[in-house]
Amino acid sequence: MKLNKEYWNKRYEENKTPWDAGAITTPIKEYIDQLTNKDLKILVPGVGNGYELEYLYENGFKNVFGLDISEEPLKNFLKKNSTFPKDQLILENFFEHNQTYDLILEQTFFCAIDPNLRTLYAEKTYELLNNNGTLAGVLFSFPLTQQNPPFGGSEEEYRTLFGKQFNISTLEVCYNSIKPRKNNELFIIIKK
């Protein structure tokens, strides 16, 4: 299976996005709510329908960027958020992106990429973060599948993957997951 632009466009066109919670999820919302520096430059990769991006922007974070390989969710986002700056929506492959950020928010992007790209994801995230930058968000915690996204993983795998380059300050079961994801999410805060 090729998880390319065409694949993701088709998934969004056919509304085959079962991971989409329909709103920002509690772990990410509560993490954003405790951020005090509204000037942070923030990236939401694999932004999808952009609930996190919308929430950030509505709460005074103006230096926020959404990136997706698929144009469909970006178009959908703009229909619902017409005042959001268009130049802060990036149609690009994450692995080819080259700006830098203070914070990268992870919400169902990691689980959507081919598991063979996970080491490259960790390396690219490290490259995209400014010194002392943070990767924060949720990773799924259920057995790794090979059929199609979302792909799972384990705490042990994530500690090995990110521990090579990052300082892991938090990697624990989410206490505030939404009901359908209860006991299947790990919250991460890792620093460059």
Side-chain angles (χ1 to χ4, degrees):
M1 164 189 1
K2 284 198 159 199
L3 301 176
N4 57 20
K5 183 178 186 172
E6 291 74 27
Y7 172 86
W8 290 110
N9 275 337
K10 187 173 182 187
R11 292 285 298 253
Y12 279 97
E13 287 167 358
E14 296 174 354
N15 200 26
K16 290 185 179 175
T17 55
W19 59 86
D20 189 321
I24 189 169
T25 61
T26 312
I28 299 291
K29 180 189 176 302
E30 290 184 4
Y31 177 79
I32 292 170
D33 288 346
Q34 58 80 44
L35 295 174
T36 56
N37 182 357
K38 303 279 182 169
D39 295 323
L40 289 172
K41 186 176 180 187
I42 303 172
L43 175 67
V44 182
V47 71
N49 286 317
Y51 308 116
E52 300 78 22
L53 193 63
E54 178 180 19
Y55 188 78
L56 284 161
Y57 196 73
E58 287 176 351
N59 284 278
F61 294 89
K62 300 303 181 194
N63 201 13
V64 293
F65 297 81
L67 180 145
D68 210 292
I69 195 170
S70 172
E71 58 208 333
E72 288 305 310
L74 298 179
K75 284 193 253 180
N76 294 342
F77 179 83
L78 278 177
K79 284 178 194 170
K80 293 184 286 183
N81 300 278
S82 59
T83 61
F84 189 86
K86 289 179 183 152
D87 63 342
Q88 289 175 225
L89 290 175
I90 304 162
L91 178 61
E92 187 175 22
N93 184 322
F94 172 78
F95 298 104
E96 296 170 3
H97 190 58
N98 61 13
Q99 294 184 40
T100 57
Y101 301 88
D102 302 308
L103 171 64
I104 296 176
L105 273 182
E106 174 56 53
Q107 173 68 17
T108 68
F109 174 61
F110 181 85
C111 72
I113 61 173
D114 184 320
N116 294 321
L117 297 175
R118 289 184 170 183
T119 298
L120 187 57
Y121 170 96
E123 292 168 358
K124 188 63 179 181
T125 300
Y126 186 86
E127 178 186 315
L128 294 175
L129 286 171
N130 293 323
N131 288 335
N132 298 313
T134 302
L135 170 65
V138 292
L139 299 174
F140 283 134
S141 175
F142 53 79
L144 182 61
T145 56
Q146 294 296 327
Q147 290 105 353
N148 54 39
F151 301 107
S154 68
E155 180 179 347
E156 181 182 337
E157 174 194 355
Y158 302 146
R159 285 196 184 278
T160 301
L161 179 65
F162 294 109
K164 295 174 186 170
Q165 294 177 289
F166 293 94
N167 177 19
I168 300 172
S169 52
T170 302
L171 178 52
E172 58 194 34
V173 175
C174 287
Y175 66 89
N176 55 357
S177 292
I178 60 173
K179 201 171 197 175
R181 297 182 185 173
K182 191 168 178 63
N183 299 319
N184 285 320
E185 290 182 312
L186 298 170
F187 199 83
I188 59 164
I189 301 174
I190 61 178
K191 302 260 185 196
K192 179 172 177 177

